[in-house]
Amino acid sequence: MRLSKTFAKSTKNVPSDEKAKNAQLLIKAGYVHKEMAGVYSYLPLGLRVLNNIANIVREEMNSIDGQEILMPALQIKERYTTTGRWDDRIVDDWFKTKLVNGTELGLGFSHEENLVPLMRKYISSYRDLPILAYQIQTKFRNELRSKSGLMRGREFLMKDMYSFAISQEEHEVIYTRVKEAYLKVFSRLGLASETYITTASGGSFSKYSHEFQTLSQAGEDTIYIDRDKKVAINKEVFTDDVIAGLGLKRERLEQVRAIEVGNIFSLGTKFTEPFGLKVNNRAGETQTLIMGCYGIGISRVLGTIVEFYSDDKGIVWPKSIAPARIILVRVGDNSKVIKVADKLYESIMSKGIEIIYDDRDVRPGEKFSDADLLGIPSRVIVSDKTVESGLFEFKDRTSTESQQISESALMAKLFDK
Ligand code: ATP
Ligand code: MG
Protein backbone atom coordinates (compact mmCIF):
# COMPACT_ATOMS: atom_id res chain seq x y z
CA MET A 1 0.00 0.00 0.00
CA ARG A 2 1.37 3.38 -1.02
CA LEU A 3 0.73 6.10 1.54
CA SER A 4 0.53 8.69 -1.24
CA LYS A 5 -2.60 6.92 -2.48
CA THR A 6 -4.43 6.28 0.80
CA PHE A 7 -7.15 8.75 1.68
CA ALA A 8 -6.96 8.00 5.39
CA LYS A 9 -4.16 10.23 6.64
CA SER A 10 -2.72 10.75 10.08
CA THR A 11 -4.23 13.78 11.76
CA LYS A 12 -3.73 15.98 14.78
CA ASN A 13 -7.49 16.55 14.95
CA VAL A 14 -8.94 14.30 17.60
CA PRO A 15 -12.51 15.12 18.68
CA SER A 16 -12.28 16.94 22.02
CA ASP A 17 -14.85 14.60 23.59
CA GLU A 18 -12.66 11.58 22.87
CA LYS A 19 -10.89 10.86 26.15
CA ALA A 20 -9.87 7.23 25.67
CA LYS A 21 -6.23 6.66 24.76
CA ASN A 22 -7.05 3.77 22.39
CA ALA A 23 -9.45 5.83 20.28
CA GLN A 24 -7.25 8.93 20.39
CA LEU A 25 -4.28 7.04 18.98
CA LEU A 26 -6.32 5.15 16.39
CA ILE A 27 -7.92 8.38 15.17
CA LYS A 28 -4.56 10.21 15.08
CA ALA A 29 -2.96 7.43 13.06
CA GLY A 30 -5.88 7.31 10.61
CA TYR A 31 -7.07 3.83 11.57
CA VAL A 32 -10.57 4.79 12.65
CA HIS A 33 -12.97 7.70 12.34
CA LYS A 34 -15.28 8.64 15.17
CA GLU A 35 -18.92 9.02 14.14
CA MET A 36 -20.35 9.57 17.62
CA ALA A 37 -19.79 8.22 21.12
CA GLY A 38 -19.39 4.45 20.85
CA VAL A 39 -19.65 4.37 17.04
CA TYR A 40 -16.59 4.27 14.78
CA SER A 41 -15.78 3.73 11.12
CA TYR A 42 -12.82 1.52 10.30
CA LEU A 43 -10.51 2.98 7.68
CA PRO A 44 -8.33 0.83 5.36
CA LEU A 45 -5.49 0.11 7.81
CA GLY A 46 -7.80 -0.11 10.83
CA LEU A 47 -9.96 -2.62 9.02
CA ARG A 48 -6.88 -4.71 8.29
CA VAL A 49 -6.07 -4.91 12.00
CA LEU A 50 -9.68 -5.69 12.90
CA ASN A 51 -9.72 -8.48 10.30
CA ASN A 52 -6.40 -9.85 11.53
CA ILE A 53 -7.81 -10.12 15.06
CA ALA A 54 -11.02 -11.70 13.76
CA ASN A 55 -9.00 -14.22 11.73
CA ILE A 56 -6.99 -15.37 14.74
CA VAL A 57 -10.23 -15.87 16.66
CA ARG A 58 -11.75 -17.65 13.64
CA GLU A 59 -8.80 -20.04 13.26
CA GLU A 60 -8.91 -21.02 16.92
CA MET A 61 -12.69 -21.51 16.93
CA ASN A 62 -12.44 -23.62 13.77
CA SER A 63 -9.71 -25.69 15.38
CA ILE A 64 -12.17 -26.86 18.06
CA ASP A 65 -14.82 -27.60 15.40
CA GLY A 66 -16.66 -24.32 15.71
CA GLN A 67 -18.86 -23.83 12.62
CA GLU A 68 -19.05 -20.26 11.38
CA ILE A 69 -22.42 -18.80 10.45
CA LEU A 70 -23.85 -15.29 10.13
CA MET A 71 -27.15 -14.39 11.72
CA PRO A 72 -29.18 -11.23 11.14
CA ALA A 73 -28.98 -8.08 13.24
CA LEU A 74 -32.76 -7.58 12.97
CA GLN A 75 -34.54 -9.52 15.69
CA ILE A 76 -38.08 -10.85 15.99
CA LYS A 77 -39.88 -9.53 19.07
CA GLU A 78 -41.83 -12.74 19.80
CA ARG A 79 -38.60 -14.71 20.25
CA TYR A 80 -37.72 -12.42 23.11
CA THR A 81 -41.15 -12.40 24.72
CA THR A 82 -40.74 -16.20 24.80
CA THR A 83 -37.61 -15.86 26.95
CA GLY A 84 -38.65 -12.70 28.80
CA ARG A 85 -35.87 -10.62 27.30
CA TRP A 86 -37.99 -8.15 25.32
CA ASP A 87 -38.73 -6.29 28.56
CA ASP A 88 -36.50 -3.22 28.99
CA ARG A 89 -36.37 -3.91 32.71
CA ILE A 90 -34.70 -7.27 31.96
CA VAL A 91 -32.47 -6.11 29.10
CA ASP A 92 -31.65 -2.44 29.60
CA ASP A 93 -29.54 -1.83 26.50
CA TRP A 94 -31.93 -2.69 23.65
CA PHE A 95 -32.09 -0.71 20.45
CA LYS A 96 -35.59 -1.25 19.06
CA THR A 97 -37.10 -0.30 15.76
CA LYS A 98 -40.23 -0.91 13.65
CA LEU A 99 -41.23 -2.12 10.21
CA VAL A 100 -43.30 0.28 8.12
CA ASN A 101 -46.42 -1.66 9.10
CA GLY A 102 -45.69 -1.10 12.78
CA THR A 103 -44.26 -4.53 13.61
CA GLU A 104 -41.68 -4.11 16.36
CA LEU A 105 -38.15 -5.41 15.85
CA GLY A 106 -34.95 -5.30 17.84
CA LEU A 107 -31.32 -4.91 16.88
CA GLY A 108 -29.37 -7.91 18.15
CA PHE A 109 -27.32 -7.51 21.32
CA SER A 110 -26.73 -11.32 21.56
CA HIS A 111 -28.14 -14.21 19.54
CA GLU A 112 -29.46 -17.01 21.72
CA GLU A 113 -33.05 -16.30 20.67
CA ASN A 114 -31.99 -16.54 17.05
CA LEU A 115 -29.86 -19.64 17.16
CA VAL A 116 -31.92 -21.90 19.45
CA PRO A 117 -35.02 -21.95 17.21
CA LEU A 118 -32.71 -22.41 14.21
CA MET A 119 -31.05 -25.41 15.84
CA ARG A 120 -34.44 -26.94 16.56
CA LYS A 121 -34.78 -27.41 12.85
CA TYR A 122 -31.48 -29.28 12.51
CA ILE A 123 -30.80 -31.19 15.73
CA SER A 124 -32.87 -34.33 15.93
CA SER A 125 -30.71 -36.82 17.80
CA TYR A 126 -27.96 -37.01 20.42
CA ARG A 127 -25.82 -38.25 17.52
CA ASP A 128 -25.86 -34.71 16.08
CA LEU A 129 -24.21 -33.43 19.26
CA PRO A 130 -22.18 -31.69 20.52
CA ILE A 131 -22.43 -28.66 18.23
CA LEU A 132 -20.47 -25.42 18.39
CA ALA A 133 -21.64 -22.59 16.14
CA TYR A 134 -20.33 -19.06 16.05
CA GLN A 135 -20.44 -15.80 14.17
CA ILE A 136 -18.38 -12.66 13.95
CA GLN A 137 -20.97 -9.95 13.71
CA THR A 138 -21.93 -6.42 14.64
CA LYS A 139 -23.81 -6.10 17.90
CA PHE A 140 -25.97 -3.18 18.98
CA ARG A 141 -26.19 -2.13 22.61
CA ASN A 142 -27.61 1.09 23.96
CA GLU A 143 -24.84 1.46 26.53
CA LEU A 144 -25.53 4.15 29.12
CA ARG A 145 -21.96 5.45 28.93
CA SER A 146 -19.56 4.99 26.09
CA LYS A 147 -16.35 6.68 27.16
CA SER A 148 -13.77 3.96 26.70
CA GLY A 149 -13.28 4.37 22.98
CA LEU A 150 -13.45 1.10 21.04
CA MET A 151 -13.70 -0.80 24.28
CA ARG A 152 -17.33 0.12 24.85
CA GLY A 153 -19.13 0.57 21.58
CA ARG A 154 -22.83 1.05 21.02
CA GLU A 155 -22.22 -0.74 17.74
CA PHE A 156 -19.29 -3.16 17.92
CA LEU A 157 -17.86 -6.35 16.51
CA MET A 158 -18.23 -9.49 18.60
CA LYS A 159 -17.46 -13.15 18.13
CA ASP A 160 -20.31 -15.00 19.77
CA MET A 161 -20.27 -18.77 19.92
CA TYR A 162 -22.88 -21.15 21.31
CA SER A 163 -22.61 -24.80 22.27
CA PHE A 164 -25.30 -27.47 22.43
CA ALA A 165 -24.79 -30.68 24.39
CA ILE A 166 -26.95 -33.65 25.38
CA SER A 167 -25.79 -33.68 29.00
CA GLN A 168 -24.01 -31.63 31.63
CA GLU A 169 -20.90 -33.85 31.24
CA GLU A 170 -20.79 -33.31 27.50
CA HIS A 171 -21.24 -29.58 28.10
CA GLU A 172 -18.32 -29.44 30.53
CA VAL A 173 -15.97 -31.06 28.04
CA ILE A 174 -16.81 -28.40 25.45
CA TYR A 175 -16.60 -25.61 28.00
CA THR A 176 -13.05 -26.66 28.89
CA ARG A 177 -12.05 -26.92 25.23
CA VAL A 178 -13.31 -23.42 24.57
CA LYS A 179 -11.45 -22.11 27.61
CA GLU A 180 -8.22 -23.58 26.22
CA ALA A 181 -8.89 -22.18 22.74
CA TYR A 182 -9.41 -18.75 24.31
CA LEU A 183 -6.00 -18.95 25.99
CA LYS A 184 -4.48 -19.64 22.57
CA VAL A 185 -6.33 -16.68 21.07
CA PHE A 186 -5.09 -14.25 23.72
CA SER A 187 -1.60 -15.64 23.47
CA ARG A 188 -1.53 -15.11 19.69
CA LEU A 189 -2.86 -11.59 20.23
CA GLY A 190 0.09 -10.80 22.49
CA LEU A 191 -2.09 -10.49 25.60
CA ALA A 192 -1.22 -13.76 27.36
CA SER A 193 0.90 -12.35 30.16
CA GLU A 194 -1.73 -9.77 31.14
CA THR A 195 -4.88 -11.84 30.70
CA TYR A 196 -6.41 -13.66 33.66
CA ILE A 197 -9.14 -16.27 33.75
CA THR A 198 -11.52 -14.69 36.21
CA THR A 199 -14.36 -16.24 38.17
CA ALA A 200 -17.41 -14.02 37.77
CA SER A 201 -21.14 -14.17 38.36
CA GLY A 202 -23.00 -16.77 36.36
CA GLY A 203 -26.48 -15.33 36.12
CA SER A 204 -29.45 -17.45 37.05
CA PHE A 205 -28.47 -20.82 35.57
CA SER A 206 -24.98 -21.52 36.77
CA LYS A 207 -23.28 -20.19 39.82
CA TYR A 208 -20.23 -18.76 38.07
CA SER A 209 -18.93 -17.84 34.66
CA HIS A 210 -15.39 -17.19 33.50
CA GLU A 211 -14.20 -13.90 32.14
CA PHE A 212 -10.92 -13.25 30.37
CA GLN A 213 -9.71 -10.03 31.94
CA THR A 214 -6.70 -8.09 30.64
CA LEU A 215 -4.99 -5.94 33.26
CA SER A 216 -5.20 -2.25 32.41
CA GLN A 217 -5.73 1.03 34.20
CA ALA A 218 -8.18 1.87 31.41
CA GLY A 219 -10.37 -1.09 32.35
CA GLU A 220 -13.87 -0.65 33.70
CA ASP A 221 -13.79 -3.78 35.88
CA THR A 222 -12.24 -4.40 39.28
CA ILE A 223 -10.78 -7.85 39.86
CA TYR A 224 -8.60 -9.55 42.45
CA ILE A 225 -5.63 -11.42 41.06
CA ASP A 226 -3.16 -14.02 42.28
CA ARG A 227 -0.12 -13.28 40.11
CA ASP A 228 1.61 -16.60 40.80
CA LYS A 229 -1.37 -18.83 40.20
CA LYS A 230 -2.50 -16.58 37.34
CA VAL A 231 -6.19 -16.60 38.35
CA ALA A 232 -8.58 -13.88 39.37
CA ILE A 233 -11.94 -13.19 40.97
CA ASN A 234 -14.29 -10.46 39.80
CA LYS A 235 -15.29 -7.97 42.50
CA GLU A 236 -18.94 -8.95 41.98
CA VAL A 237 -18.33 -12.44 43.44
CA PHE A 238 -15.40 -11.65 45.72
CA THR A 239 -16.42 -13.60 48.84
CA ASP A 240 -14.66 -15.92 51.30
CA ASP A 241 -16.52 -18.84 49.74
CA VAL A 242 -15.22 -18.13 46.26
CA ILE A 243 -11.68 -17.43 47.49
CA ALA A 244 -11.60 -20.73 49.37
CA GLY A 245 -13.27 -22.61 46.52
CA LEU A 246 -10.41 -21.59 44.22
CA GLY A 247 -7.80 -22.55 46.82
CA LEU A 248 -6.64 -18.93 47.12
CA LYS A 249 -5.68 -16.78 50.10
CA ARG A 250 -7.24 -13.36 50.58
CA GLU A 251 -3.94 -11.77 51.67
CA ARG A 252 -2.22 -12.90 48.47
CA LEU A 253 -4.81 -11.23 46.23
CA GLU A 254 -4.21 -7.87 44.65
CA GLN A 255 -6.97 -5.50 43.57
CA VAL A 256 -6.48 -4.26 39.99
CA ARG A 257 -8.39 -2.69 37.08
CA ALA A 258 -8.99 -4.85 34.03
CA ILE A 259 -10.77 -5.06 30.67
CA GLU A 260 -13.14 -7.96 30.02
CA VAL A 261 -11.98 -9.11 26.60
CA GLY A 262 -13.99 -12.31 26.58
CA ASN A 263 -16.21 -14.53 28.64
CA ILE A 264 -17.61 -18.02 28.71
CA PHE A 265 -20.90 -18.91 30.24
CA SER A 266 -22.89 -22.02 31.04
CA LEU A 267 -26.52 -21.39 30.17
CA GLY A 268 -28.03 -24.70 31.23
CA THR A 269 -31.52 -24.93 29.73
CA LYS A 270 -32.31 -21.22 30.07
CA PHE A 271 -32.91 -20.85 26.32
CA THR A 272 -33.38 -24.42 25.15
CA GLU A 273 -36.28 -25.00 27.54
CA PRO A 274 -38.55 -22.10 26.40
CA PHE A 275 -37.99 -23.06 22.74
CA GLY A 276 -38.37 -26.78 23.43
CA LEU A 277 -34.99 -27.78 22.03
CA LYS A 278 -34.89 -31.40 23.19
CA VAL A 279 -33.95 -34.76 21.75
CA ASN A 280 -33.61 -38.32 22.99
CA ASN A 281 -30.37 -39.40 24.56
CA ARG A 282 -28.66 -42.75 24.01
CA ALA A 283 -30.94 -44.38 26.58
CA GLY A 284 -34.02 -43.08 24.76
CA GLU A 285 -34.88 -40.45 27.39
CA THR A 286 -35.91 -36.97 26.25
CA GLN A 287 -33.35 -34.34 27.27
CA THR A 288 -33.54 -30.58 26.98
CA LEU A 289 -30.20 -29.53 25.56
CA ILE A 290 -27.52 -27.94 27.71
CA MET A 291 -26.17 -24.75 26.24
CA GLY A 292 -23.11 -22.55 26.65
CA CYS A 293 -22.21 -19.16 25.21
CA TYR A 294 -18.77 -17.76 24.55
CA GLY A 295 -17.99 -14.16 23.60
CA ILE A 296 -14.94 -12.23 22.52
CA GLY A 297 -15.20 -8.51 21.86
CA ILE A 298 -13.19 -8.23 18.63
CA SER A 299 -13.27 -4.42 18.55
CA ARG A 300 -12.75 -4.25 22.31
CA VAL A 301 -9.65 -6.42 21.87
CA LEU A 302 -8.38 -3.94 19.29
CA GLY A 303 -8.81 -1.11 21.78
CA THR A 304 -7.21 -3.17 24.53
CA ILE A 305 -4.15 -3.94 22.41
CA VAL A 306 -3.68 -0.24 21.67
CA GLU A 307 -3.99 0.60 25.38
CA PHE A 308 -1.33 -1.97 26.14
CA TYR A 309 0.97 -1.74 23.11
CA SER A 310 1.67 1.96 22.77
CA ASP A 311 4.25 4.50 23.90
CA ASP A 312 4.64 8.27 23.74
CA LYS A 313 5.25 8.08 19.98
CA GLY A 314 2.23 5.99 19.06
CA ILE A 315 1.07 2.43 18.60
CA VAL A 316 3.39 -0.62 18.72
CA TRP A 317 1.47 -3.45 17.03
CA PRO A 318 2.27 -7.08 17.85
CA LYS A 319 3.39 -8.71 14.58
CA SER A 320 0.43 -11.11 14.63
CA ILE A 321 -2.12 -8.36 13.98
CA ALA A 322 -0.12 -5.45 12.53
CA PRO A 323 -1.66 -3.96 9.35
CA ALA A 324 1.72 -4.52 7.67
CA ARG A 325 4.95 -6.25 8.61
CA ILE A 326 7.14 -3.34 7.49
CA ILE A 327 7.00 0.28 6.47
CA LEU A 328 9.33 1.49 3.74
CA VAL A 329 10.26 5.14 4.16
CA ARG A 330 11.65 6.84 1.10
CA VAL A 331 13.76 9.86 1.98
CA GLY A 332 14.41 12.13 -0.97
CA ASP A 333 12.94 12.09 -4.43
CA ASN A 334 15.78 11.93 -6.88
CA SER A 335 15.32 9.32 -9.56
CA LYS A 336 17.91 6.92 -8.14
CA VAL A 337 16.29 6.84 -4.70
CA ILE A 338 12.84 6.40 -6.24
CA LYS A 339 14.11 3.55 -8.39
CA VAL A 340 15.73 1.65 -5.52
CA ALA A 341 12.76 2.21 -3.18
CA ASP A 342 10.19 1.17 -5.82
CA LYS A 343 12.18 -1.95 -6.55
CA LEU A 344 12.43 -2.92 -2.89
CA TYR A 345 8.68 -2.32 -2.48
CA GLU A 346 7.85 -4.58 -5.43
CA SER A 347 10.25 -7.23 -4.26
CA ILE A 348 8.85 -7.38 -0.68
CA MET A 349 5.27 -7.39 -1.99
CA SER A 350 6.06 -10.20 -4.40
CA LYS A 351 7.07 -12.35 -1.41
CA GLY A 352 3.56 -11.94 0.00
CA ILE A 353 4.71 -9.74 2.88
CA GLU A 354 2.40 -6.88 3.84
CA ILE A 355 4.21 -3.59 3.33
CA ILE A 356 3.35 0.09 3.58
CA TYR A 357 5.34 2.37 1.31
CA ASP A 358 5.73 5.96 2.44
CA ASP A 359 6.29 7.49 -0.98
CA ARG A 360 4.71 10.82 -0.03
CA ASP A 361 6.20 14.16 -0.81
CA VAL A 362 6.58 15.30 2.80
CA ARG A 363 9.49 16.11 5.15
CA PRO A 364 11.51 13.12 6.44
CA GLY A 365 10.71 14.10 10.06
CA GLU A 366 7.00 13.80 9.34
CA LYS A 367 7.52 10.40 7.71
CA PHE A 368 9.47 9.08 10.69
CA SER A 369 6.96 10.32 13.24
CA ASP A 370 4.08 8.87 11.19
CA ALA A 371 5.91 5.53 10.97
CA ASP A 372 6.15 5.51 14.77
CA LEU A 373 2.52 6.61 15.19
CA LEU A 374 1.31 3.86 12.82
CA GLY A 375 3.20 1.30 14.89
CA ILE A 376 4.36 -0.97 12.07
CA PRO A 377 6.77 -3.56 13.57
CA SER A 378 9.75 -2.71 11.34
CA ARG A 379 10.92 0.25 9.29
CA VAL A 380 13.33 0.37 6.38
CA ILE A 381 14.74 3.59 4.96
CA VAL A 382 15.91 4.23 1.42
CA SER A 383 17.86 7.50 1.05
CA ASP A 384 20.74 8.97 -0.92
CA LYS A 385 23.04 7.58 1.73
CA THR A 386 21.69 4.03 1.57
CA VAL A 387 21.65 4.04 -2.22
CA GLU A 388 25.31 4.97 -2.20
CA SER A 389 26.25 2.20 0.26
CA GLY A 390 24.07 -0.41 -1.45
CA LEU A 391 22.56 -1.30 1.93
CA PHE A 392 19.30 -0.40 3.65
CA GLU A 393 18.71 1.23 7.01
CA PHE A 394 16.57 -1.03 9.18
CA LYS A 395 14.99 -0.49 12.59
CA ASP A 396 12.40 -2.26 14.71
CA ARG A 397 9.62 -0.09 16.13
CA THR A 398 10.73 -0.95 19.66
CA SER A 399 14.47 -0.36 19.26
CA THR A 400 16.31 2.96 19.23
CA GLU A 401 19.25 1.77 17.13
CA SER A 402 19.04 1.27 13.41
CA GLN A 403 21.32 -0.98 11.40
CA GLN A 404 22.65 -1.10 7.85
CA ILE A 405 21.66 -4.35 6.19
CA SER A 406 21.65 -6.00 2.79
CA GLU A 407 18.46 -6.89 0.94
CA SER A 408 18.87 -10.59 1.69
CA ALA A 409 19.39 -9.94 5.40
CA LEU A 410 16.29 -7.74 5.35
CA MET A 411 14.23 -10.49 3.72
CA ALA A 412 15.42 -12.99 6.31
CA LYS A 413 14.22 -10.68 9.09
CA LEU A 414 10.82 -10.26 7.47
CA PHE A 415 10.24 -13.99 7.40
CA ASP A 416 11.00 -14.17 11.13
CA LYS A 417 7.84 -14.49 13.18
P1 ATP B 1 -19.51 -5.64 30.01
O1 ATP B 1 -19.66 -6.12 31.43
O2 ATP B 1 -18.17 -5.06 29.73
O3 ATP B 1 -20.65 -4.75 29.60
P2 ATP B 1 -20.89 -7.90 29.00
O4 ATP B 1 -20.93 -8.79 30.17
O5 ATP B 1 -22.07 -7.10 28.69
O6 ATP B 1 -19.59 -6.94 29.10
P3 ATP B 1 -21.12 -9.96 27.00
O7 ATP B 1 -22.54 -9.70 26.81
O8 ATP B 1 -20.77 -11.22 27.68
O9 ATP B 1 -20.41 -8.72 27.74
O10 ATP B 1 -20.35 -9.86 25.61
C1 ATP B 1 -19.25 -10.69 25.23
C2 ATP B 1 -17.99 -9.87 25.00
O11 ATP B 1 -18.26 -8.78 24.12
C3 ATP B 1 -17.44 -9.22 26.26
O12 ATP B 1 -16.60 -10.10 26.94
C4 ATP B 1 -16.67 -8.05 25.69
O13 ATP B 1 -15.38 -8.46 25.28
C5 ATP B 1 -17.47 -7.65 24.48
N1 ATP B 1 -18.35 -6.49 24.72
C6 ATP B 1 -19.44 -6.42 25.50
N2 ATP B 1 -19.99 -5.19 25.46
C7 ATP B 1 -19.22 -4.48 24.60
C8 ATP B 1 -19.28 -3.14 24.11
N3 ATP B 1 -20.25 -2.31 24.47
N4 ATP B 1 -18.33 -2.74 23.22
C9 ATP B 1 -17.36 -3.59 22.82
N5 ATP B 1 -17.25 -4.85 23.25
C10 ATP B 1 -18.16 -5.30 24.12
MG1 MG C 1 -22.59 -5.14 29.12
Side-chain angles (χ1 to χ4, degrees):
M1 171 181 275
R2 285 176 182 261
L3 277 191
S4 66
K5 297 212 168 103
T6 42
F7 74 86
K9 312 253 186 279
S10 66
T11 172
K12 293 200 168 55
N13 274 335
V14 176
S16 58
D17 66 343
E18 184 59 79
K19 304 287 182 230
K21 177 167 98 176
N22 65 85
Q24 285 183 351
L25 278 171
L26 289 163
I27 293 168
K28 261 191 205 161
Y31 285 114
V32 304
H33 169 73
K34 185 174 187 173
E35 302 289 349
M36 57 175 148
V39 181
Y40 298 86
S41 290
Y42 291 85
L43 305 179
L45 291 176
L47 183 59
R48 275 202 200 175
V49 181
L50 192 72
N51 286 337
N52 290 344
I53 296 171
N55 279 333
I56 287 176
V57 173
R58 182 175 278 128
E59 282 173 23
E60 295 302 333
M61 298 308 107
N62 291 347
S63 81
I64 54 170
D65 299 329
Q67 304 178 53
E68 186 171 3
I69 58 176
L70 183 60
M71 291 181 276
L74 290 176
Q75 298 294 305
I76 301 165
K77 174 183 173 181
E78 286 64 35
R79 301 276 179 85
Y80 291 83
T81 51
T82 301
T83 60
R85 294 212 291 182
W86 187 255
D87 191 333
D88 292 319
R89 288 164 303 182
I90 307 291
V91 172
D92 62 5
D93 54 6
W94 265 119
F95 278 110
K96 292 177 178 172
T97 185
K98 280 195 182 93
L99 292 181
V100 177
N101 70 12
T103 305
E104 287 182 284
L105 298 176
L107 296 181
F109 60 89
S110 187
H111 279 73
E112 287 83 355
E113 281 86 344
N114 223 295
L115 188 59
V116 175
L118 188 154
M119 282 298 171
R120 225 178 72 154
K121 177 172 158 195
Y122 292 102
I123 303 176
S124 55
S125 152
Y126 70 89
R127 290 189 203 86
D128 298 333
L129 300 169
I131 287 173
L132 268 177
Y134 74 96
Q135 62 176 346
I136 294 174
Q137 188 232 27
T138 300
K139 295 281 184 276
F140 296 88
R141 292 188 184 181
N142 202 344
E143 302 278 359
L144 186 59
R145 269 178 292 277
S146 192
K147 293 185 171 167
S148 298
L150 275 68
M151 299 192 307
R152 187 164 296 283
R154 293 197 165 106
E155 176 177 338
F156 60 95
L157 195 62
M158 192 202 284
K159 185 280 299 179
D160 47 325
M161 181 159 73
Y162 306 87
S163 65
F164 299 88
I166 192 71
S167 63
Q168 188 59 29
E169 297 80 70
E170 190 173 83
H171 167 71
E172 276 159 27
V173 172
I174 305 173
Y175 191 87
T176 305
R177 284 186 85 188
V178 177
K179 199 192 266 181
E180 283 159 8
Y182 269 39
L183 289 175
K184 287 191 191 149
V185 166
F186 294 115
S187 156
R188 289 179 65 185
L189 292 171
L191 295 175
S193 67
E194 303 304 303
T195 301
Y196 283 66
I197 295 185
T198 306
T199 299
S201 71
S204 48
F205 265 75
S206 74
K207 218 161 167 196
Y208 304 113
S209 67
H210 292 99
E211 295 172 342
F212 289 74
Q213 292 273 5
T214 304
L215 309 193
S216 167
Q217 275 308 319
E220 295 182 13
D221 287 20
T222 299
I223 63 170
Y224 294 84
I225 61 169
D226 183 317
R227 285 194 192 264
D228 300 330
K229 296 197 167 148
K230 197 74 200 294
V231 291
I233 303 173
N234 194 305
K235 189 180 173 191
E236 61 190 22
V237 295
F238 190 60
T239 61
D240 287 332
D241 264 8
V242 173
I243 297 170
L246 290 167
L248 302 174
K249 296 225 157 37
R250 189 180 272 268
E251 61 277 12
R252 293 187 52 89
L253 298 172
E254 198 183 318
Q255 183 188 312
V256 294
R257 303 283 284 178
I259 302 161
E260 182 198 315
V261 285
N263 67 8
I264 60 178
F265 229 85
S266 292
L267 293 170
T269 57
K270 179 175 178 177
F271 296 97
T272 50
E273 161 71 35
F275 290 111
L277 178 53
K278 49 193 172 196
V279 298
N280 284 354
N281 65 13
R282 192 183 295 270
E285 303 148 346
T286 304
Q287 299 288 321
T288 301
L289 299 191
I290 306 294
M291 206 177 156
C293 70
Y294 315 87
I296 292 182
I298 305 287
S299 45
R300 181 178 289 185
V301 162
L302 172 51
T304 303
I305 290 173
V306 174
E307 291 286 338
F308 187 67
Y309 286 104
S310 50
D311 59 19
D312 54 348
K313 296 192 187 108
I315 301 169
V316 186
W317 295 117
K319 283 177 197 161
S320 60
I321 63 155
R325 176 67 185 79
I326 188 161
I327 180 162
L328 164 58
V329 177
R330 194 185 75 208
V331 174
D333 54 6
N334 72 55
S335 59
K336 245 184 172 167
V337 167
I338 292 178
K339 206 173 136 207
V340 173
D342 283 1
K343 190 166 156 266
L344 182 65
Y345 175 60
E346 300 296 335
S347 139
I348 291 176
M349 273 208 310
S350 72
K351 303 278 188 321
I353 296 166
E354 297 272 22
I355 177 169
I356 294 172
Y357 181 13
D358 194 347
D359 59 339
R360 294 174 303 169
D361 188 14
V362 301
R363 286 180 301 107
E366 193 176 331
K367 292 193 176 188
F368 297 145
S369 65
D370 274 354
D372 283 341
L373 178 62
L374 282 169
I376 310 306
S378 303
R379 179 183 89 184
V380 62
I381 298 175
V382 172
S383 64
D384 281 328
K385 216 173 84 192
T386 69
V387 167
E388 205 168 299
S389 68
L391 297 172
F392 297 102
E393 188 179 329
F394 177 88
K395 186 178 96 59
D396 274 326
R397 172 66 176 81
T398 47
S399 73
T400 45
E401 306 278 301
S402 55
Q403 54 188 125
Q404 309 293 318
I405 59 171
S406 67
E407 183 165 344
S408 60
L410 172 64
M411 289 302 177
K413 276 181 184 291
L414 296 183
F415 279 108
D416 260 15
K417 280 283 166 191

